[in-house]
Amino acid sequence: MSQTVDRALSILPLLAEGPANLEQVAGRLGVHKSTALRLLRTLHEHGMVYRQSDQRYRLGARLFALAQQAVENLDVREIAHPHLVELNEKCGHTVHLAVYEENEVLYIDKVESRYPVRMYSRIGKPVAITVAAVAKLLLADLPEPERRALAEKLDYPLYTSRSTPHAQAFLAELAKVREQGWATDLGGHEESINCVGAPVRGADGRLVAAMSVSAPNVVVTAEELLTLLPLVRRTADAISREYSGNTRVPDTQDQKEARP
Amino acid sequence: MSQTVDRALSILPLLAEGPANLEQVAGRLGVHKSTALRLLRTLHEHGMVYRQSDQRYRLGARLFALAQQAVENLDVREIAHPHLVELNEKCGHTVHLAVYEENEVLYIDKVESRYPVRMYSRIGKPVAITVAAVAKLLLADLPEPERRALAEKLDYPLYTSRSTPHAQAFLAELAKVREQGWATDLGGHEESINCVGAPVRGADGRLVAAMSVSAPNVVVTAEELLTLLPLVRRTADAISREYSGNTRVPDTQDQKEARP
DNA sequence: AGTTCTTGTTGCACTGTGTGCAACACCCAT
DNA sequence: ATGGGTGTTGCACACAGTGCAACAAGAACT
């Protein structure tokens, strides 16, 4: 909608791929060098980009700080965290918490496995949406037309032979997940890794997040992992209960400045 | 430099404090509602802000993803990580890695303590610059005028009775750190938490990062923690060596597309 | 040392983009 | 129904953003 801002923001993902110099930025934006320079300077003033010693630009520190503050404001995360830690202490595996937002599913919290073999994933990383257990749970909760539209639009990369191959299969899987109230990913993303997930619901019954436990085959088989399902569901339910209990007050809190 | 972009970017830190509606945003920016609306829409299109169900805006998912990609591009981090893990396995305490960037020091990696009592800190969070061991190390390496200028400009919050009280004391501390090649924070940020840190240097001898080990009093006393100093320094040196070895090649790599 | 590229920076005239206004649409309360 | 509180749309004006061309500063040659 706003050309200048649009261009400026387009620089960020571009730099996320790796550092770039002025000409490269100007080139990829399709604007004159001087224009790109002004945009970069503005971004720089706000700490969004950083100019390294070789004069090339890369993403700046403020970005981290912002992402940081943003994630701290998600109250589900705050409530869920101790539960995730507790679950991790009981079973020892990696525990994830994820939310859905505008056609993306992303991890907002993670407790690392106690076993030496760990998964590669990170808070803030978008999830493999067509296969991950948490993604299935979150998408299964979308209203039918939206779910359908999204499913049609997605890519279905074949990470492994057990990845969801196409929209039709995905929608069928979502229906199943919706029905049973939990989800799995059995080697759909990485051949040797399995996950079991359960939904976290708000007071209105809608999903606000999803959580999962993941472990590689070498540590426990898929069958063994599935025995954890009741524990996972109980944890998710505990979070749901606590989250729903918190029936929204904090908004006005920061305004109040009353004296005793 | 660019008014529109400047305004748009100013919205982000504002939303980082918490969700806000159109009027609040317009008000705090000092612009008309319609202007704020257009800016927010542009930010929205880029996934930088998200519109929650009550119509208020908050920071969006893309921000996480960007910060994520940004941190992955920092090659010190990649090299350092296994060393940090190893150090954590040896001593069990929380290990941090931090860099300096434009008047800020921020954590770029962290390995959690194995003990149940954990510190509150997070990757991406700006460090308490006047007291943290890693901050002292990084600032001590700045050229004298810059260091002085920064020290004068900083605030010196008294987190505890042992916090650095003012610029003069801070500069003296930095001189000491520079001299001895390592740094501590003994209860300067939180009464009961101590840290020992050591510098990571590039091929040119300049600091590229700093690392530290932190532990609360209840687990080990400050004296006991200091006995880890040689180990911490050895780890930092190992990272320095590996980092310097990597004498910059990767730049051209992504351009190449030659046939066999 | 001189010359030629390459890349970043500055000043300026033009116009296209962002601006604020006012009117409108909408929702929730009363 | 009626009112206040929001978010949204269309439009005329002007100023902020644009691209150009000329300049500066290095690096990489000969």
Side-chain angles (χ1 to χ4, degrees), chain A residues 9 12 43 46-49 60-74, chain B residues 8-18 43 48-49 58-64 66-67 104 106 123-126:
Chain A
L9 293 178
L12 299 177
L43 288 168
H46 285 259
M48 305 293 281
V49 307
R62 190 65 45 81
L63 214 50
F64 300 82
L66 279 175
Q68 191 41 43
Q69 282 193 59
V71 86
E72 277 175 11
N73 282 338
L74 297 177
Chain B
L9 293 178
S10 304
I11 293 178
L12 299 177
L14 195 152
L15 290 184
E17 293 168 24
L43 288 167
M48 305 293 281
V49 307
R58 62 169 177 75
L59 295 181
R62 190 65 45 80
L63 215 51
F64 300 83
L66 279 175
E104 279 188 327
L106 49 115
I123 296 173
K125 211 181 169 78

mmCIF file of all heavy atoms in Angstrom, chain A residues 9 12 43 46-49 60-74, chain B residues 8-18 43 48-49 58-64 66-67 104 106 123-126:
data_model
loop_
_atom_site.group_PDB
_atom_site.id
_atom_site.type_symbol
_atom_site.label_atom_id
_atom_site.label_comp_id
_atom_site.label_asym_id
_atom_site.label_seq_id
_atom_site.Cartn_x
_atom_site.Cartn_y
_atom_site.Cartn_z
ATOM 1 N N LEU A 9 10.757 -2.585 3.564
ATOM 2 C CA LEU A 9 10.536 -3.866 4.237
ATOM 3 C C LEU A 9 11.005 -5.034 3.376
ATOM 4 O O LEU A 9 11.398 -6.073 3.896
ATOM 5 C CB LEU A 9 9.061 -4.029 4.592
ATOM 6 C CG LEU A 9 8.532 -3.063 5.658
ATOM 7 C CD1 LEU A 9 7.055 -3.295 5.883
ATOM 8 C CD2 LEU A 9 9.300 -3.197 6.958
ATOM 9 N N LEU A 12 14.508 -6.417 4.063
ATOM 10 C CA LEU A 12 14.825 -7.269 5.208
ATOM 11 C C LEU A 12 14.944 -8.759 4.850
ATOM 12 O O LEU A 12 15.972 -9.366 5.133
ATOM 13 C CB LEU A 12 13.820 -7.034 6.334
ATOM 14 C CG LEU A 12 13.803 -5.598 6.877
ATOM 15 C CD1 LEU A 12 12.730 -5.433 7.934
ATOM 16 C CD2 LEU A 12 15.166 -5.206 7.432
ATOM 17 N N LEU A 43 16.591 2.373 7.691
ATOM 18 C CA LEU A 43 16.581 1.095 8.403
ATOM 19 C C LEU A 43 17.715 1.052 9.415
ATOM 20 O O LEU A 43 17.562 0.554 10.528
ATOM 21 C CB LEU A 43 16.729 -0.071 7.415
ATOM 22 C CG LEU A 43 15.520 -0.362 6.535
ATOM 23 C CD1 LEU A 43 15.882 -1.317 5.414
ATOM 24 C CD2 LEU A 43 14.378 -0.938 7.365
ATOM 25 N N HIS A 46 17.144 2.870 12.633
ATOM 26 C CA HIS A 46 16.260 2.138 13.537
ATOM 27 C C HIS A 46 16.883 0.832 14.011
ATOM 28 O O HIS A 46 16.220 0.028 14.648
ATOM 29 C CB HIS A 46 14.922 1.878 12.853
ATOM 30 C CG HIS A 46 14.058 3.091 12.781
ATOM 31 N ND1 HIS A 46 13.022 3.326 13.633
ATOM 32 C CD2 HIS A 46 14.120 4.171 11.965
ATOM 33 C CE1 HIS A 46 12.452 4.478 13.335
ATOM 34 N NE2 HIS A 46 13.111 5.018 12.331
ATOM 35 N N GLY A 47 18.124 0.612 13.646
ATOM 36 C CA GLY A 47 18.822 -0.578 14.127
ATOM 37 C C GLY A 47 18.370 -1.865 13.464
ATOM 38 O O GLY A 47 18.695 -2.953 13.918
ATOM 39 N N MET A 48 17.603 -1.741 12.379
ATOM 40 C CA MET A 48 17.104 -2.941 11.723
ATOM 41 C C MET A 48 18.164 -3.567 10.823
ATOM 42 O O MET A 48 18.117 -4.757 10.549
ATOM 43 C CB MET A 48 15.874 -2.615 10.877
ATOM 44 C CG MET A 48 14.773 -1.928 11.645
ATOM 45 S SD MET A 48 14.036 -2.996 12.865
ATOM 46 C CE MET A 48 12.974 -3.975 11.808
ATOM 47 N N VAL A 49 19.070 -2.756 10.305
ATOM 48 C CA VAL A 49 20.186 -3.304 9.556
ATOM 49 C C VAL A 49 21.485 -2.777 10.147
ATOM 50 O O VAL A 49 21.502 -1.754 10.835
ATOM 51 C CB VAL A 49 20.139 -2.975 8.044
ATOM 52 C CG1 VAL A 49 18.822 -3.368 7.449
ATOM 53 C CG2 VAL A 49 20.427 -1.505 7.808
ATOM 54 N N GLY A 60 20.095 -6.253 11.589
ATOM 55 C CA GLY A 60 20.668 -5.644 12.787
ATOM 56 C C GLY A 60 20.104 -6.161 14.089
ATOM 57 O O GLY A 60 19.193 -6.988 14.126
ATOM 58 N N ALA A 61 20.662 -5.634 15.137
ATOM 59 C CA ALA A 61 20.394 -6.120 16.481
ATOM 60 C C ALA A 61 18.956 -5.863 16.942
ATOM 61 O O ALA A 61 18.337 -6.701 17.571
ATOM 62 C CB ALA A 61 21.344 -5.462 17.462
ATOM 63 N N ARG A 62 18.436 -4.702 16.587
ATOM 64 C CA ARG A 62 17.116 -4.328 17.063
ATOM 65 C C ARG A 62 16.070 -5.371 16.705
ATOM 66 O O ARG A 62 15.102 -5.603 17.433
ATOM 67 C CB ARG A 62 16.729 -2.964 16.470
ATOM 68 C CG ARG A 62 15.499 -2.339 17.066
ATOM 69 C CD ARG A 62 15.664 -1.983 18.526
ATOM 70 N NE ARG A 62 16.928 -1.315 18.792
ATOM 71 C CZ ARG A 62 17.159 -0.026 18.582
ATOM 72 N NH1 ARG A 62 16.221 0.735 18.117
ATOM 73 N NH2 ARG A 62 18.330 0.495 18.847
ATOM 74 N N LEU A 63 16.298 -6.006 15.569
ATOM 75 C CA LEU A 63 15.391 -7.034 15.096
ATOM 76 C C LEU A 63 15.241 -8.156 16.121
ATOM 77 O O LEU A 63 14.141 -8.615 16.398
ATOM 78 C CB LEU A 63 15.946 -7.593 13.794
ATOM 79 C CG LEU A 63 14.959 -8.031 12.741
ATOM 80 C CD1 LEU A 63 13.930 -6.968 12.462
ATOM 81 C CD2 LEU A 63 15.700 -8.390 11.480
ATOM 82 N N PHE A 64 16.369 -8.569 16.689
ATOM 83 C CA PHE A 64 16.326 -9.608 17.712
ATOM 84 C C PHE A 64 15.527 -9.122 18.903
ATOM 85 O O PHE A 64 14.668 -9.808 19.426
ATOM 86 C CB PHE A 64 17.720 -9.946 18.233
ATOM 87 C CG PHE A 64 18.645 -10.435 17.187
ATOM 88 C CD1 PHE A 64 19.299 -9.551 16.371
ATOM 89 C CD2 PHE A 64 18.859 -11.786 17.031
ATOM 90 C CE1 PHE A 64 20.159 -9.999 15.401
ATOM 91 C CE2 PHE A 64 19.715 -12.240 16.067
ATOM 92 C CZ PHE A 64 20.368 -11.344 15.244
ATOM 93 N N ALA A 65 15.888 -7.926 19.320
ATOM 94 C CA ALA A 65 15.258 -7.374 20.510
ATOM 95 C C ALA A 65 13.745 -7.308 20.317
ATOM 96 O O ALA A 65 12.979 -7.670 21.212
ATOM 97 C CB ALA A 65 15.817 -5.999 20.795
ATOM 98 N N LEU A 66 13.318 -6.891 19.129
ATOM 99 C CA LEU A 66 11.887 -6.799 18.847
ATOM 100 C C LEU A 66 11.239 -8.177 18.885
ATOM 101 O O LEU A 66 10.232 -8.374 19.548
ATOM 102 C CB LEU A 66 11.660 -6.182 17.466
ATOM 103 C CG LEU A 66 11.741 -4.672 17.391
ATOM 104 C CD1 LEU A 66 11.606 -4.221 15.950
ATOM 105 C CD2 LEU A 66 10.644 -4.044 18.231
ATOM 106 N N ALA A 67 11.848 -9.115 18.180
ATOM 107 C CA ALA A 67 11.296 -10.465 18.128
ATOM 108 C C ALA A 67 11.196 -11.009 19.553
ATOM 109 O O ALA A 67 10.240 -11.684 19.917
ATOM 110 C CB ALA A 67 12.181 -11.363 17.277
ATOM 111 N N GLN A 68 12.201 -10.681 20.328
ATOM 112 C CA GLN A 68 12.264 -11.074 21.712
ATOM 113 C C GLN A 68 11.063 -10.563 22.505
ATOM 114 O O GLN A 68 10.326 -11.311 23.118
ATOM 115 C CB GLN A 68 13.565 -10.515 22.307
ATOM 116 C CG GLN A 68 13.894 -11.058 23.639
ATOM 117 C CD GLN A 68 13.600 -12.533 23.693
ATOM 118 O OE1 GLN A 68 13.901 -13.284 22.764
ATOM 119 N NE2 GLN A 68 12.983 -12.973 24.769
ATOM 120 N N GLN A 69 10.870 -9.264 22.435
ATOM 121 C CA GLN A 69 9.756 -8.648 23.149
ATOM 122 C C GLN A 69 8.427 -9.188 22.659
ATOM 123 O O GLN A 69 7.498 -9.387 23.428
ATOM 124 C CB GLN A 69 9.776 -7.128 22.951
ATOM 125 C CG GLN A 69 10.782 -6.419 23.810
ATOM 126 C CD GLN A 69 10.521 -4.920 23.790
ATOM 127 O OE1 GLN A 69 9.461 -4.447 24.161
ATOM 128 N NE2 GLN A 69 11.503 -4.163 23.337
ATOM 129 N N ALA A 70 8.363 -9.412 21.342
ATOM 130 C CA ALA A 70 7.122 -9.903 20.768
ATOM 131 C C ALA A 70 6.750 -11.249 21.363
ATOM 132 O O ALA A 70 5.620 -11.475 21.757
ATOM 133 C CB ALA A 70 7.253 -10.014 19.255
ATOM 134 N N VAL A 71 7.730 -12.131 21.441
ATOM 135 C CA VAL A 71 7.448 -13.474 21.919
ATOM 136 C C VAL A 71 7.101 -13.449 23.412
ATOM 137 O O VAL A 71 6.322 -14.260 23.894
ATOM 138 C CB VAL A 71 8.617 -14.431 21.617
ATOM 139 C CG1 VAL A 71 9.673 -14.392 22.695
ATOM 140 C CG2 VAL A 71 8.130 -15.857 21.442
ATOM 141 N N GLU A 72 7.656 -12.487 24.111
ATOM 142 C CA GLU A 72 7.365 -12.407 25.534
ATOM 143 C C GLU A 72 5.940 -11.945 25.805
ATOM 144 O O GLU A 72 5.397 -12.176 26.873
ATOM 145 C CB GLU A 72 8.357 -11.471 26.228
ATOM 146 C CG GLU A 72 9.643 -12.195 26.569
ATOM 147 C CD GLU A 72 10.704 -11.271 27.143
ATOM 148 O OE1 GLU A 72 10.377 -10.114 27.469
ATOM 149 O OE2 GLU A 72 11.848 -11.722 27.254
ATOM 150 N N ASN A 73 5.384 -11.263 24.821
ATOM 151 C CA ASN A 73 4.018 -10.778 24.993
ATOM 152 C C ASN A 73 2.970 -11.838 24.730
ATOM 153 O O ASN A 73 1.786 -11.616 24.959
ATOM 154 C CB ASN A 73 3.765 -9.582 24.075
ATOM 155 C CG ASN A 73 4.366 -8.331 24.644
ATOM 156 O OD1 ASN A 73 4.604 -8.244 25.841
ATOM 157 N ND2 ASN A 73 4.632 -7.360 23.796
ATOM 158 N N LEU A 74 3.377 -12.972 24.207
ATOM 159 C CA LEU A 74 2.402 -14.024 23.955
ATOM 160 C C LEU A 74 2.112 -14.734 25.275
ATOM 161 O O LEU A 74 2.952 -15.447 25.795
ATOM 162 C CB LEU A 74 2.966 -15.018 22.938
ATOM 163 C CG LEU A 74 3.245 -14.431 21.564
ATOM 164 C CD1 LEU A 74 3.856 -15.492 20.672
ATOM 165 C CD2 LEU A 74 1.965 -13.892 20.950
ATOM 166 N N ALA B 8 6.886 4.245 9.875
ATOM 167 C CA ALA B 8 6.467 2.846 9.887
ATOM 168 C C ALA B 8 7.299 2.045 10.883
ATOM 169 O O ALA B 8 6.774 1.267 11.672
ATOM 170 C CB ALA B 8 6.590 2.242 8.493
ATOM 171 N N LEU B 9 8.598 2.277 10.864
ATOM 172 C CA LEU B 9 9.473 1.511 11.751
ATOM 173 C C LEU B 9 9.262 1.892 13.209
ATOM 174 O O LEU B 9 9.465 1.073 14.108
ATOM 175 C CB LEU B 9 10.935 1.714 11.356
ATOM 176 C CG LEU B 9 11.334 1.142 9.998
ATOM 177 C CD1 LEU B 9 12.790 1.445 9.707
ATOM 178 C CD2 LEU B 9 11.080 -0.356 9.938
ATOM 179 N N SER B 10 8.843 3.130 13.417
ATOM 180 C CA SER B 10 8.594 3.561 14.794
ATOM 181 C C SER B 10 7.416 2.820 15.405
ATOM 182 O O SER B 10 7.271 2.772 16.628
ATOM 183 C CB SER B 10 8.316 5.059 14.835
ATOM 184 O OG SER B 10 9.383 5.757 14.248
ATOM 185 N N ILE B 11 6.578 2.282 14.553
ATOM 186 C CA ILE B 11 5.417 1.542 15.057
ATOM 187 C C ILE B 11 5.853 0.260 15.757
ATOM 188 O O ILE B 11 5.260 -0.150 16.747
ATOM 189 C CB ILE B 11 4.445 1.210 13.902
ATOM 190 C CG1 ILE B 11 3.829 2.497 13.358
ATOM 191 C CG2 ILE B 11 3.361 0.261 14.360
ATOM 192 C CD1 ILE B 11 2.891 2.283 12.194
ATOM 193 N N LEU B 12 6.906 -0.346 15.251
ATOM 194 C CA LEU B 12 7.289 -1.657 15.767
ATOM 195 C C LEU B 12 7.660 -1.657 17.251
ATOM 196 O O LEU B 12 7.079 -2.418 18.019
ATOM 197 C CB LEU B 12 8.416 -2.255 14.908
ATOM 198 C CG LEU B 12 8.036 -2.476 13.437
ATOM 199 C CD1 LEU B 12 9.222 -2.990 12.648
ATOM 200 C CD2 LEU B 12 6.861 -3.433 13.312
ATOM 201 N N PRO B 13 8.596 -0.821 17.674
ATOM 202 C CA PRO B 13 8.911 -0.811 19.107
ATOM 203 C C PRO B 13 7.703 -0.454 19.960
ATOM 204 O O PRO B 13 7.557 -0.920 21.083
ATOM 205 C CB PRO B 13 9.996 0.249 19.234
ATOM 206 C CG PRO B 13 10.055 0.958 17.948
ATOM 207 C CD PRO B 13 9.456 0.076 16.918
ATOM 208 N N LEU B 14 6.848 0.352 19.376
ATOM 209 C CA LEU B 14 5.627 0.754 20.064
ATOM 210 C C LEU B 14 4.727 -0.461 20.306
ATOM 211 O O LEU B 14 4.194 -0.643 21.403
ATOM 212 C CB LEU B 14 4.946 1.756 19.136
ATOM 213 C CG LEU B 14 3.842 2.662 19.579
ATOM 214 C CD1 LEU B 14 3.881 3.914 18.714
ATOM 215 C CD2 LEU B 14 2.510 1.962 19.394
ATOM 216 N N LEU B 15 4.605 -1.286 19.292
ATOM 217 C CA LEU B 15 3.778 -2.487 19.448
ATOM 218 C C LEU B 15 4.470 -3.536 20.302
ATOM 219 O O LEU B 15 3.825 -4.401 20.883
ATOM 220 C CB LEU B 15 3.448 -3.093 18.085
ATOM 221 C CG LEU B 15 2.489 -2.313 17.207
ATOM 222 C CD1 LEU B 15 2.194 -3.088 15.933
ATOM 223 C CD2 LEU B 15 1.199 -2.016 17.947
ATOM 224 N N ALA B 16 5.785 -3.441 20.368
ATOM 225 C CA ALA B 16 6.519 -4.412 21.164
ATOM 226 C C ALA B 16 6.129 -4.308 22.638
ATOM 227 O O ALA B 16 6.189 -5.270 23.383
ATOM 228 C CB ALA B 16 8.016 -4.218 21.000
ATOM 229 N N GLU B 17 5.712 -3.114 23.031
ATOM 230 C CA GLU B 17 5.301 -2.913 24.428
ATOM 231 C C GLU B 17 3.990 -3.615 24.735
ATOM 232 O O GLU B 17 3.655 -3.831 25.893
ATOM 233 C CB GLU B 17 5.143 -1.421 24.718
ATOM 234 C CG GLU B 17 6.458 -0.656 24.676
ATOM 235 C CD GLU B 17 6.227 0.843 24.664
ATOM 236 O OE1 GLU B 17 5.155 1.280 25.135
ATOM 237 O OE2 GLU B 17 7.105 1.567 24.166
ATOM 238 N N GLY B 18 3.246 -3.898 23.684
ATOM 239 C CA GLY B 18 1.972 -4.558 23.861
ATOM 240 C C GLY B 18 1.040 -4.164 22.730
ATOM 241 O O GLY B 18 1.304 -3.183 22.030
ATOM 242 N N LEU B 43 2.805 -2.770 6.808
ATOM 243 C CA LEU B 43 3.518 -3.651 7.742
ATOM 244 C C LEU B 43 2.844 -5.020 7.786
ATOM 245 O O LEU B 43 3.502 -6.057 7.838
ATOM 246 C CB LEU B 43 3.536 -3.038 9.144
ATOM 247 C CG LEU B 43 4.458 -1.827 9.330
ATOM 248 C CD1 LEU B 43 4.157 -1.133 10.646
ATOM 249 C CD2 LEU B 43 5.915 -2.234 9.266
ATOM 250 N N MET B 48 4.876 -8.183 9.351
ATOM 251 C CA MET B 48 5.588 -7.621 10.492
ATOM 252 C C MET B 48 4.636 -7.334 11.651
ATOM 253 O O MET B 48 5.050 -7.297 12.802
ATOM 254 C CB MET B 48 6.286 -6.317 10.103
ATOM 255 C CG MET B 48 7.213 -6.457 8.928
ATOM 256 S SD MET B 48 8.634 -7.485 9.292
ATOM 257 C CE MET B 48 9.624 -6.317 10.196
ATOM 258 N N VAL B 49 3.377 -7.080 11.336
ATOM 259 C CA VAL B 49 2.386 -6.943 12.392
ATOM 260 C C VAL B 49 1.221 -7.872 12.105
ATOM 261 O O VAL B 49 1.021 -8.312 10.974
ATOM 262 C CB VAL B 49 1.862 -5.494 12.556
ATOM 263 C CG1 VAL B 49 2.996 -4.514 12.727
ATOM 264 C CG2 VAL B 49 0.982 -5.106 11.402
ATOM 265 N N ARG B 58 -0.522 -6.329 16.866
ATOM 266 C CA ARG B 58 0.670 -6.670 17.631
ATOM 267 C C ARG B 58 1.748 -7.150 16.662
ATOM 268 O O ARG B 58 1.495 -7.337 15.474
ATOM 269 C CB ARG B 58 0.370 -7.713 18.700
ATOM 270 C CG ARG B 58 -0.117 -9.031 18.194
ATOM 271 C CD ARG B 58 -0.112 -10.059 19.314
ATOM 272 N NE ARG B 58 -0.638 -11.310 18.835
ATOM 273 C CZ ARG B 58 -0.001 -12.149 18.049
ATOM 274 N NH1 ARG B 58 1.205 -11.843 17.604
ATOM 275 N NH2 ARG B 58 -0.558 -13.278 17.654
ATOM 276 N N LEU B 59 2.939 -7.364 17.149
ATOM 277 C CA LEU B 59 4.033 -7.761 16.269
ATOM 278 C C LEU B 59 3.754 -9.120 15.645
ATOM 279 O O LEU B 59 3.156 -9.984 16.266
ATOM 280 C CB LEU B 59 5.340 -7.791 17.050
ATOM 281 C CG LEU B 59 5.800 -6.431 17.571
ATOM 282 C CD1 LEU B 59 7.117 -6.558 18.303
ATOM 283 C CD2 LEU B 59 5.927 -5.430 16.432
ATOM 284 N N GLY B 60 4.197 -9.282 14.427
ATOM 285 C CA GLY B 60 3.824 -10.463 13.664
ATOM 286 C C GLY B 60 4.899 -11.523 13.563
ATOM 287 O O GLY B 60 6.014 -11.362 14.048
ATOM 288 N N ALA B 61 4.518 -12.602 12.908
ATOM 289 C CA ALA B 61 5.345 -13.792 12.860
ATOM 290 C C ALA B 61 6.628 -13.602 12.068
ATOM 291 O O ALA B 61 7.685 -14.096 12.430
ATOM 292 C CB ALA B 61 4.545 -14.927 12.235
ATOM 293 N N ARG B 62 6.530 -12.854 10.991
ATOM 294 C CA ARG B 62 7.683 -12.700 10.116
ATOM 295 C C ARG B 62 8.906 -12.187 10.869
ATOM 296 O O ARG B 62 10.050 -12.521 10.567
ATOM 297 C CB ARG B 62 7.331 -11.745 8.961
ATOM 298 C CG ARG B 62 8.343 -11.676 7.860
ATOM 299 C CD ARG B 62 8.502 -12.993 7.094
ATOM 300 N NE ARG B 62 7.240 -13.608 6.759
ATOM 301 C CZ ARG B 62 6.477 -13.240 5.726
ATOM 302 N NH1 ARG B 62 6.869 -12.295 4.936
ATOM 303 N NH2 ARG B 62 5.330 -13.842 5.490
ATOM 304 N N LEU B 63 8.607 -11.381 11.857
ATOM 305 C CA LEU B 63 9.669 -10.806 12.667
ATOM 306 C C LEU B 63 10.524 -11.895 13.308
ATOM 307 O O LEU B 63 11.753 -11.817 13.303
ATOM 308 C CB LEU B 63 9.018 -9.950 13.749
ATOM 309 C CG LEU B 63 9.724 -8.685 14.167
ATOM 310 C CD1 LEU B 63 10.089 -7.835 12.981
ATOM 311 C CD2 LEU B 63 8.828 -7.901 15.109
ATOM 312 N N PHE B 64 9.867 -12.923 13.833
ATOM 313 C CA PHE B 64 10.602 -14.032 14.430
ATOM 314 C C PHE B 64 11.455 -14.707 13.379
ATOM 315 O O PHE B 64 12.631 -14.983 13.580
ATOM 316 C CB PHE B 64 9.661 -15.109 14.964
ATOM 317 C CG PHE B 64 8.730 -14.632 15.999
ATOM 318 C CD1 PHE B 64 7.563 -13.999 15.646
ATOM 319 C CD2 PHE B 64 9.019 -14.820 17.333
ATOM 320 C CE1 PHE B 64 6.690 -13.552 16.605
ATOM 321 C CE2 PHE B 64 8.149 -14.377 18.292
ATOM 322 C CZ PHE B 64 6.981 -13.739 17.928
ATOM 323 N N LEU B 66 12.586 -13.642 10.628
ATOM 324 C CA LEU B 66 13.717 -12.810 10.205
ATOM 325 C C LEU B 66 14.841 -12.863 11.232
ATOM 326 O O LEU B 66 15.998 -13.109 10.898
ATOM 327 C CB LEU B 66 13.280 -11.362 10.019
ATOM 328 C CG LEU B 66 12.597 -11.020 8.708
ATOM 329 C CD1 LEU B 66 12.117 -9.588 8.725
ATOM 330 C CD2 LEU B 66 13.545 -11.238 7.545
ATOM 331 N N ALA B 67 14.478 -12.629 12.476
ATOM 332 C CA ALA B 67 15.483 -12.640 13.537
ATOM 333 C C ALA B 67 16.188 -13.991 13.556
ATOM 334 O O ALA B 67 17.395 -14.082 13.747
ATOM 335 C CB ALA B 67 14.827 -12.363 14.880
ATOM 336 N N GLU B 104 25.145 -1.604 21.649
ATOM 337 C CA GLU B 104 24.401 -2.612 22.396
ATOM 338 C C GLU B 104 25.199 -3.906 22.459
ATOM 339 O O GLU B 104 25.977 -4.207 21.554
ATOM 340 C CB GLU B 104 23.055 -2.902 21.739
ATOM 341 C CG GLU B 104 21.972 -1.900 22.063
ATOM 342 C CD GLU B 104 20.619 -2.350 21.549
ATOM 343 O OE1 GLU B 104 20.559 -3.005 20.490
ATOM 344 O OE2 GLU B 104 19.617 -2.057 22.206
ATOM 345 N N LEU B 106 24.454 -7.957 22.854
ATOM 346 C CA LEU B 106 23.351 -8.906 22.966
ATOM 347 C C LEU B 106 23.754 -10.349 22.849
ATOM 348 O O LEU B 106 24.692 -10.696 22.162
ATOM 349 C CB LEU B 106 22.225 -8.571 22.003
ATOM 350 C CG LEU B 106 22.512 -8.304 20.570
ATOM 351 C CD1 LEU B 106 21.873 -9.377 19.747
ATOM 352 C CD2 LEU B 106 21.914 -6.956 20.205
ATOM 353 N N ILE B 123 18.224 -15.515 24.145
ATOM 354 C CA ILE B 123 18.912 -15.097 22.938
ATOM 355 C C ILE B 123 18.185 -13.888 22.352
ATOM 356 O O ILE B 123 16.973 -13.899 22.245
ATOM 357 C CB ILE B 123 18.933 -16.251 21.923
ATOM 358 C CG1 ILE B 123 19.748 -17.390 22.490
ATOM 359 C CG2 ILE B 123 19.487 -15.788 20.602
ATOM 360 C CD1 ILE B 123 19.710 -18.647 21.659
ATOM 361 N N GLY B 124 18.943 -12.858 21.984
ATOM 362 C CA GLY B 124 18.336 -11.677 21.382
ATOM 363 C C GLY B 124 18.087 -10.585 22.379
ATOM 364 O O GLY B 124 17.859 -9.438 22.024
ATOM 365 N N LYS B 125 18.115 -10.929 23.629
ATOM 366 C CA LYS B 125 17.869 -9.929 24.657
ATOM 367 C C LYS B 125 19.104 -9.044 24.828
ATOM 368 O O LYS B 125 20.212 -9.548 24.902
ATOM 369 C CB LYS B 125 17.604 -10.652 25.974
ATOM 370 C CG LYS B 125 16.667 -9.911 26.900
ATOM 371 C CD LYS B 125 16.507 -10.705 28.185
ATOM 372 C CE LYS B 125 15.814 -9.884 29.230
ATOM 373 N NZ LYS B 125 14.382 -9.803 29.031
ATOM 374 N N PRO B 126 18.920 -7.727 24.889
ATOM 375 C CA PRO B 126 20.070 -6.881 25.144
ATOM 376 C C PRO B 126 20.569 -7.124 26.564
ATOM 377 O O PRO B 126 19.793 -7.321 27.484
ATOM 378 C CB PRO B 126 19.522 -5.467 25.007
ATOM 379 C CG PRO B 126 18.213 -5.602 24.320
ATOM 380 C CD PRO B 126 17.710 -6.966 24.651
#
